[in-house]
Amino acid sequence: GSLGEPRDLFALPSARRPLPPPRWPVECEVIKETIEHIEWVPPEPEPFCQPMGHEWPPTTLSEEQGTIVYHLSPVPPGSCFTRARVGGAPGPLSSPAAPLEGPQDTTLLFESRFESGNLQKAVKVGPYEYVLTLRPDLYTAKHTQWFYFRVQNTRRDPLYRFTIANLAKPKSLYGEGMRPLLYSQRDAQSRGVGWRRVGTDVHYYRGGGAEPAAFRLSWTVRFPHDGDTCFFAHSYPYTYSDLQRYLRALAGDPVCSQYCAVRALCRSLAGNTVYLLTITSPVGAAAKRVVVLSARAHPGESGGSWAMRGFLDFLLGTHPDAQLLRRLFVFKVVPMLNPDGVVVGNSRCSLAGRDPNRAYGTALQGSFPGVWHLRAMVERVLAEREVVLYCDFHGHSRKNNVFMYGCDSGGAGTGLRLHQRVFPLMLSKNAPDKFSFPSCKFKVQKSKAGTGRVVMWRMGVSNSYTMEVAFGGSTLGRRNSHFTVEDLKLLGYHLCDTLLDFCDPHPAKFQQCLSEVDALLRQRLGREPGSGWSDVSTSDLESSTSGSDSSVSDG
């Protein structure tokens, strides 16, 4: 291969070979079962529930009086990653779940020792009431937000209450009507029904206790069947193995293989392959412009993978627009930047115990191989070609809808400062029921200097964005409902659509959007038509309505 490495050094997915199983840190126990979920789109929109407010400490929950029914030994937060192996911890598995006392015992059996699972402890505080503790990001004591775990031995009639006791963020869309996800194995097998929104009486509030991660999420739910196996999750899971299955199907498709090359960008700290897809047709312009996309720097933001899936499905398909895009551009796609974090069920970090999306500026090859190699790849590309767009897919936990963060330092001339706002405006026209232009921000904050979008922009990619996809859903276009997997995939398709509008050789659409951006900003700042923008600070250009963006922002 052109990477200067023999092909077999890296286990690339091939239709002929079994998939390389994920490599886990040796501290992690892993059950042998393969966990796979069917894809399903609910026939009706799933509305937000009535927000319950933040003042709500119920009196019944006291863990001290409860019984521990699941407990994984924690990884000490001060320790560091040392080594990994397939299957995680060697030797026989421990039994973190308390055994049932007989068929009449209605205690739920919890499990999370599978890809992306992260439950550490469950305490039974009432006949059908449980207080749960999430495992923090590995080798850290914080970043609890993502959750994904399994329960067995369900009963159909009672109302259960679950309370996650150690969430890290003071504000959440759960406080504004978002509901958790449930998956019933029996419903999937017998009726083809997959992940769905559940939960009544959903509360997000500050818990007691002095520890910093003291926010709580509580919900009640009825299970659909007796004796079922069910899963709960924060967002539709998309694991490293899901990605590998997808890439193996691509590798086995003789048509796709003509214009899509799957290579290893590098290996993660645990030795999992970070994949790079190069997509372009063999024909077309000599010096094609380049589009760079990435997702899952933050492993808990799984919606980014579903948007990426939709993008790849469309771009690799037979639609005339997809063929045109492959003729016009070279796409460099890193679908999962932080596979280790995805494997172990982290929210934000890699196994270096730090946030990879703050490490682009200083990225050490050893600590953040994915980030380091992505940046080096873009540097190589920029030496020969124009990169017309960089977009990094993320998830947002405090604002609904989809929006973008762009880059405006205030130094550029008038034209360029408005140009950076054109792509998001076009996307909002192509996806009016999902994408909110007023929620977009273009200020480069100090705390964001190490993010992918800011570093790529400083390297010379003028259209450099973080796309934020809400964990909740859309409040736009008469919608007030959660995003489905289909919504997220459509977003990837709309990105393709917008790229064609943005790069249309007939500049009418671009010019129209440019003047619209100009008019919107004038209206907001009360400036005369014709006066330039070079004297206006970025802070003044930022919407006064969209609220201040604190440094705990998700990007």
Side-chain angles (χ1 to χ4, degrees), residues 170-415:
K171 266 193 71 191
S172 163
L173 287 169
Y174 286 116
E176 297 177 30
M178 175 168 141
R179 305 164 78 197
L181 285 160
L182 169 81
Y183 185 95
S184 151
Q185 207 124 292
R186 186 164 309 170
D187 279 344
Q189 280 154 1
S190 62
R191 308 188 319 159
V193 169
W195 288 102
R196 63 190 125 170
R197 301 283 171 175
V198 298
T200 42
D201 205 22
V202 179
H203 290 269
Y204 195 89
Y205 59 103
R206 182 185 273 289
E211 76 274 18
F215 296 92
R216 295 186 164 216
L217 167 65
S218 187
W219 71 95
T220 55
V221 65
R222 288 184 205 279
F223 290 110
H225 304 284
D226 283 333
D228 197 2
T229 292
C230 291
F231 295 82
F232 286 104
H234 178 49
S235 173
Y236 308 99
Y238 193 96
T239 63
Y240 184 56
S241 292
D242 289 329
L243 174 68
Q244 300 216 84
R245 283 188 279 268
Y246 183 74
L247 295 181
R248 179 169 63 180
L250 291 188
D253 180 327
V255 179
C256 255
S257 308
Q258 294 172 20
Y259 46 75
C260 173
V262 179
R263 294 283 180 269
L265 176 70
C266 62
R267 291 236 177 166
S268 68
L269 287 182
N272 292 306
T273 305
V274 179
Y275 294 104
L276 168 68
L277 280 58
T278 302
I279 302 164
T280 192
S281 67
V283 296
K288 292 187 189 181
R289 294 187 290 173
V290 179
V291 175
V292 181
L293 299 178
S294 54
R296 296 304 279 283
H298 294 150
E301 297 168 11
S302 60
S305 279
W306 288 105
M308 182 64 86
R309 247 288 294 281
F311 170 82
L312 290 170
D313 282 349
F314 181 77
L315 183 63
L316 296 168
T318 54
H319 192 286
D321 279 356
Q323 297 177 19
L324 178 56
L325 282 164
R326 298 192 299 260
R327 277 208 304 280
L328 287 175
F329 302 106
V330 176
F331 292 88
K332 294 278 190 184
V333 182
V334 182
M336 198 171 278
L337 260 173
N338 182 0
D340 297 351
V342 174
V343 167
V344 302
N346 278 359
S347 287
R348 276 187 93 80
C349 298
S350 72
L351 296 183
R354 303 207 304 281
D355 180 344
N357 201 35
R358 294 294 181 275
Y360 279 83
T362 55
L364 308 163
Q365 187 173 352
S367 306
F368 296 101
V371 161
W372 191 92
H373 283 90
L374 172 60
R375 184 183 162 176
M377 187 258 304
V378 173
E379 269 173 342
R380 284 198 303 276
V381 167
L382 280 167
E384 297 167 19
R385 300 166 185 257
E386 180 194 347
V387 174
V388 68
L389 174 77
Y390 169 70
C391 186
D392 190 18
F393 295 20
H394 283 258
H396 207 283
S397 66
R398 291 170 301 117
K399 279 201 303 198
N400 271 315
N401 306 311
V402 181
F403 48 94
M404 282 178 152
Y405 291 145
C407 300
D408 172 1
S409 70
T414 306

Side-chain angles (χ1 to χ4, degrees), residues 470-489:
F471 282 106
S474 166
T475 59
L476 305 168
R478 294 198 303 282
R479 267 190 74 158
N480 225 348
S481 58
H482 292 87
F483 285 140
T484 64
V485 164
E486 191 56 32
D487 285 321
L488 300 173
K489 285 160 70 173

Side-chain angles (χ1 to χ4, degrees), residues 114-129:
F114 45 78
E115 261 188 277
S116 297
N118 69 338
L119 181 68
Q120 182 140 344
K121 185 169 137 187
V123 179
K124 186 176 179 179
V125 294
Y128 301 102
E129 233 177 301

Side-chain angles (χ1 to χ4, degrees), residues 38-67:
I38 63 165
E39 236 178 276
W40 175 72
V41 178
E44 295 293 315
E46 297 178 300
F48 298 126
C49 59
Q50 200 46 48
M52 289 294 191
H54 295 279
E55 300 309 311
W56 187 77
T59 47
T60 54
L61 302 177
S62 168
E63 288 126 279
E64 290 72 44
Q65 279 92 58
T67 317

